[in-house]
Amino acid sequence: PSGGMRSTFEARGYTVWDPSSPAFIMRVGDGKTLCIPTIFVTYDGRAQDFKLPLLRSQTFLESAAVPVCQMFDPKVTKVTATLGWEQEYFVIDEALFNARPDLVLSGRTLLGRAATKNQQLEDHYFGSIPERVYLFMRDLETESHKLGIPVRTRHNEVAPGQYEVAPIFEEVNVAVDHNQLLMDVMERVARRHKLRVLFHEKPFAGINGSGKHNNWSLGANTGVNLLSPGNTPSRNLRFLTFFVNTIMSVYKHADILRASIAHAGNDHRLGANEAPPAIISVFIGEALTKLLGQIANGKKTDDAAVQRAIDLISKLPNLELDNTDRNRTSPFAFTGNKFEIRAVGSSQNCAGPMTVMNTMMGLQLTEFKNDVDKLLAKGAEKEEAILMVLKSYIRKLKPILFEGNNYSEEWREEAAQRGLANHTNTPEALEILRSKQAEDFFGKSGVLNKSELEAFLLVQLHAYCTKMDIEAQTLNELVNSSIMPAIIRYQTDLAHNIAALQAIGMGDAGAYQKAKLQRIVTNAAAIKDGLEKLLEGLEKAHAESDLHQEAYLFCNAVKPEMEHIREAVDSLEGIVDDEYWPLVKYREMLFIR
C-alpha cells in the first residue's frame, strides 16, 4: 500500500477477479456484502499478494506433472495440487484478553509465569470440549458452511485452552482462500460468545504453541491420487515416481521451504518440544524406508533387475494398511497418501509454503522427465529408464530422510554432519531469498520475477522488524507503567514490615520477609539492566538504514533482552502478593469452563 513496485504518485493497485475461487456473501449484522476473490497486481501485472504467485505455481506444476503422468496413463490431461489444512488456535475469555495489553497489541503474552498445572496431565487433550467453547464451535461451523468452507472436525489440542478445526481437502487455491476466510470468521464468531481467538504461534510461554499443518497431495483428472499406492505394478511405479520426486524436491530446496514458514511468531514455536525444529527433514515410515533402500542398493539394472523391482513395488498396496503418521516431531512427513508440512505457523497464510511446494515439485518433475527422456533416447525401456532415474535420486536424497526424534540434541549434531541447515530465526531463514538459487527457483518457473522476489523479501523483513518493534515497545511500556510500580509498592510494604519488627525488637522474626525483599531487589535490578539494554538495542535498530541488518539487530540485540526481562518479571510474579500484581495470570486465562 505504501508504493514499493509502484510509483508513489500512483499509490494504487489493480484487482483481477479469480474465477477459480468461488464468490461468497459475507454477512455482518444486518449487512450483506458480495465478496469476489481477486488478485492484487501493479499496473504492469506484477504480483503484490500471495494469490497470484500461488496460481502461477499451480500452472507451472501442472505443466510439469501432466507429461510425467502420461508416461503411465495417456488419459491424464490435468493435475491439481490439493490442500487440507489443520487450524490450531487458543480461546480465552474476552474480558481477560482485554485486561492484557500485550495480548491486545501483539497477540501473545510478553510476560507470564507458567501455571503450576498446565498440560502435564493431558486432561485437556483427552477431555471433553468445555461447553462454552463447544457452543462457539457449533456457531463457527454453521457460519463456515454458509460460506462454503467444508469444516468437518473439531477437537481439543494438547495445551489448556487450545483447539483445532480442519476441513475436507480442496484444490489448493480454494483451500487457501477458505483458510483466510475462516480465520476472519472465527474472530467475529468468538466475539458473539464473549471470547477471543488467538492465532499467534506461541501466545503462552511454556506450553504448546499452535501450528497449521498443511496436508499436500496431487490429483489427476482421472480421479487418482498420485501419492496413493495402487493395486497394480504400473500404478505403484507411478506412485513411486511422484513419491520420490517429492522427497527429492525437498532435499534440493529445503532452505527455500524453510524461508516460506519464517516469521516472528513461528520463531517462538519451532523446536519448542511441541513443534518441528527449524531443520527440514522428511519422515516416510519404516516400510517405505526399507523399500527405497532395497531399490537404491540394487545392482546395475538389467531386464531381470527391472522385473524384480516391479515385483517389489507390486507389494505396495500393503502400505495402505500402514499408517505412517508415527513421528509427530518431523517437519515434513508422509502420512499414507499425502505429505504433511507441520512447520507452518497458525497465523500464516498457507499460500506461501504451498507456492514453494508447487514450484519445487514442478522443477523436480521437469528434471525427472528430462532424465528419463535421455535414457529412452539411448534405447532403454520405459520402466527401466524410470527405475534407473529413481534409483539415482534415492541415493542422493538419503541425507534428508530421518525417522528419529527431531527434538533431540543428537539430531542437531547429526543434521549438521549430513549438511542440513538449521536456520533458527527469521532473518537467517530469509537469507536464501537473496541468493541466485532463489532467483533461479522462482524465475525459471515463472512464479516470481526478480523485482517481485525482492519486494516479497523486503515485505517479510519489514513485517518481522515491525512486529518485533511493537513487542519491544509494548514490553517496555508495560514494565515501566504496570509491573515496576506494583513491585515498588510491594517492596515498600515489605521494608516497612521489616522495620516495624526491628522497632519492637523482633528483627529475627522478619527473616522470611528479608529473603523475599532481597529476591525482589535482585530481580528489579535485573529488570532495570534489561530495559536499558533493550532501549539501546531499539535505538540501534531504528538507526539502521539496511533492512536486513535491522532485522538482525532486532533478532540478536532486542529479542534476547526481552527474554531476560521476562525471566526476571516472571520470577517476581511467583512471590509478589496477588493483590499487587497488575496482570491477569496464566492460571486465570487458560482454563475456560
Side-chain angles (χ1 to χ4, degrees):
S2 61
M5 292 185 290
R6 298 166 291 163
S7 301
T8 54
F9 64 86
E10 293 178 329
R12 64 183 184 274
Y14 296 84
T15 57
V16 181
W17 290 8
D18 174 16
S20 65
S21 185
F24 55 91
I25 295 174
M26 178 69 77
R27 182 171 183 171
V28 180
D30 294 329
K32 296 179 182 179
T33 304
L34 173 63
C35 301
I36 302 173
T38 59
I39 302 162
F40 189 49
V41 295
T42 61
Y43 178 77
D44 57 357
R46 285 180 288 176
Q48 297 202 103
D49 64 2
F50 281 97
K51 180 178 274 288
L52 182 53
L54 178 64
L55 292 173
R56 288 172 176 169
S57 73
Q58 173 62 33
T59 300
F60 174 66
L61 172 59
E62 182 177 358
S63 68
V66 167
V68 175
C69 282
Q70 290 178 342
M71 298 169 68
F72 305 97
D73 184 357
K75 296 178 182 178
V76 174
T77 57
K78 183 176 179 61
V79 172
T80 303
T82 59
L83 167 64
W85 40 261
E86 303 168 29
Q87 180 69 60
E88 295 178 342
Y89 60 98
F90 281 82
V91 173
I92 69 170
D93 183 271
E94 185 174 50
L96 301 181
F97 172 86
N98 289 329
R100 290 284 311 216
D102 48 358
L103 272 179
V104 172
L105 297 176
S106 72
R108 76 179 181 102
T109 54
L110 303 174
L111 303 167
R113 182 183 179 88
T116 53
K117 180 195 176 212
N118 45 68
Q119 62 190 49
Q120 309 101 309
L121 299 174
E122 296 187 331
D123 52 341
H124 177 70
Y125 194 30
F126 294 105
S128 59
I129 298 172
E131 183 175 355
R132 191 175 173 196
V133 178
Y134 176 77
L135 295 174
F136 153 72
M137 288 179 167
R138 288 290 306 273
D139 197 0
L140 170 65
E141 291 159 3
T142 299
E143 294 300 322
S144 296
H145 288 139
K146 288 179 182 178
L147 294 167
I149 306 172
V151 294
R152 62 173 294 178
T153 66
R154 70 170 94 97
H155 64 82
N156 294 345
E157 260 300 335
V158 177
Q162 188 184 32
Y163 307 91
E164 180 178 292
V165 58
I168 301 171
F169 74 93
E170 300 176 281
E171 184 274 323
V172 65
N173 178 47
V174 176
V176 170
D177 282 356
H178 280 165
N179 182 248
Q180 291 296 105
L181 180 57
L182 178 95
M183 289 194 287
D184 179 72
V185 173
M186 287 177 76
E187 291 184 330
R188 289 191 290 103
V189 172
R191 287 188 178 94
R192 291 183 198 165
H193 296 262
K194 304 299 181 184
L195 299 169
R196 285 301 180 98
V197 170
L198 305 180
F199 291 117
H200 193 284
E201 284 70 21
K202 197 78 170 180
F204 301 101
I207 61 175
N208 276 22
S210 297
K212 178 150 49 189
H213 298 176
N214 280 208
N215 296 280
W216 178 91
S217 192
L218 295 173
N221 63 296
T222 53
V224 300
N225 180 341
L226 299 174
L227 288 174
S228 180
N231 53 13
T232 65
S234 62
R235 290 181 181 176
N236 286 325
L237 186 56
R238 179 190 62 203
F239 157 74
L240 198 63
T241 294
F242 283 91
F243 177 73
V244 171
N245 275 287
T246 302
I247 302 171
M248 190 66 176
S249 71
V250 177
Y251 174 62
K252 289 181 179 178
H253 306 293
D255 286 354
I256 297 179
L257 183 62
R258 168 68 181 92
S260 74
I261 50 96
H263 79 120
N266 224 13
D267 283 0
H268 296 283
R269 168 181 167 261
L270 292 179
N273 285 343
E274 85 279 349
I279 305 165
I280 300 297
S281 65
V282 179
F283 170 81
I284 60 174
E286 182 180 358
L288 284 167
T289 298
K290 288 182 179 178
L291 173 64
L292 295 192
Q294 290 173 331
I295 295 173
N297 295 328
K299 296 180 180 180
K300 183 177 179 180
T301 301
D302 52 32
D303 289 344
V306 171
Q307 186 58 51
R308 285 196 299 274
I310 291 176
D311 290 342
L312 178 66
I313 62 176
S314 70
K315 298 181 175 64
L316 277 179
N318 295 326
L319 293 173
E320 293 183 326
L321 302 177
D322 171 39
N323 178 5
T324 57
D325 189 12
R326 299 279 191 267
N327 192 337
R328 303 301 295 175
T329 73
S330 176
F332 196 99
F334 183 67
T335 56
N337 58 8
K338 61 188 183 301
F339 281 95
E340 184 176 5
I341 308 169
R342 293 174 173 152
V344 183
S346 56
S347 70
Q348 289 187 280
N349 188 331
C350 299
M354 289 298 95
T355 296
V356 170
M357 193 69 230
N358 289 348
T359 303
M360 66 188 195
M361 188 60 170
L363 290 169
Q364 179 57 38
L365 290 175
T366 300
E367 181 177 330
F368 170 78
K369 182 67 165 55
N370 290 337
D371 290 342
V372 171
D373 286 346
K374 289 176 184 177
L375 293 179
L376 293 176
K378 294 179 181 179
E381 295 294 327
K382 183 174 69 174
E383 289 80 6
E384 177 188 11
I386 291 171
L387 284 166
M388 288 179 68
V389 172
L390 292 179
K391 179 188 290 189
S392 69
Y393 289 172
I394 294 168
R395 289 175 173 174
K396 293 176 183 176
L397 58 76
K398 286 183 179 180
I400 203 76
L401 297 177
F402 182 63
E403 304 293 302
N405 181 6
N406 286 255
Y407 297 156
S408 67
E409 186 59 38
E410 291 78 11
W411 166 233
R412 291 179 176 83
E413 296 171 3
E414 182 181 339
Q417 294 173 357
R418 294 187 184 193
L420 303 181
N422 182 16
H423 302 303
T424 58
N425 59 67
T426 293
E428 279 185 19
L430 291 177
E431 279 291 336
I432 187 67
L433 299 184
R434 305 173 71 181
S435 69
K436 181 67 165 52
Q437 177 187 345
E439 187 178 329
D440 290 343
F441 178 88
F442 290 107
K444 290 179 179 179
S445 61
V447 171
L448 291 173
N449 62 35
K450 187 175 181 180
S451 66
E452 289 171 329
L453 176 59
E454 181 182 2
F456 176 80
L457 171 59
L458 293 177
V459 167
Q460 299 310 302
L461 288 169
H462 179 70
Y464 176 81
C465 293
T466 302
K467 289 176 182 178
M468 290 298 301
D469 190 37
I470 290 171
E471 287 191 1
Q473 300 277 15
T474 300
L475 179 64
N476 179 55
E477 181 179 309
L478 194 57
V479 171
N480 278 312
S481 65
S482 296
I483 300 298
M484 288 307 295
I487 290 171
I488 291 170
R489 286 196 302 272
Y490 186 56
Q491 179 179 265
T492 301
D493 286 351
L494 272 178
H496 287 164
N497 180 260
I498 293 168
L501 289 172
Q502 290 174 339
I504 61 174
M506 297 182 64
D508 292 343
Y512 173 79
Q513 293 92 318
K514 289 178 182 178
K516 179 177 277 196
L517 183 58
Q518 183 57 56
R519 285 184 64 186
I520 292 173
V521 170
T522 301
N523 280 293
I527 293 170
K528 174 182 175 295
D529 181 61
L531 287 174
E532 290 174 352
K533 292 179 179 178
L534 176 70
L535 293 176
E536 288 176 9
L538 281 172
E539 186 177 354
K540 290 179 181 178
H542 293 158
E544 180 57 63
S545 58
D546 182 271
L547 196 54
H548 301 88
Q549 293 306 313
E550 182 184 353
Y552 277 109
L553 283 169
F554 271 111
C555 181
N556 299 320
V558 175
K559 186 177 177 182
E561 297 309 321
M562 293 176 65
E563 293 303 316
H564 292 155
I565 294 168
R566 177 175 196 146
E567 183 178 349
V569 172
D570 290 358
S571 177
L572 289 171
E573 184 183 327
I575 61 174
V576 172
D577 191 329
D578 276 358
E579 183 180 345
Y580 292 77
W581 198 253
L583 297 179
V584 176
K585 298 187 176 184
Y586 278 21
R587 66 173 186 243
E588 297 159 331
M589 289 186 284
L590 287 171
F591 299 96
I592 290 178
R593 289 293 179 266

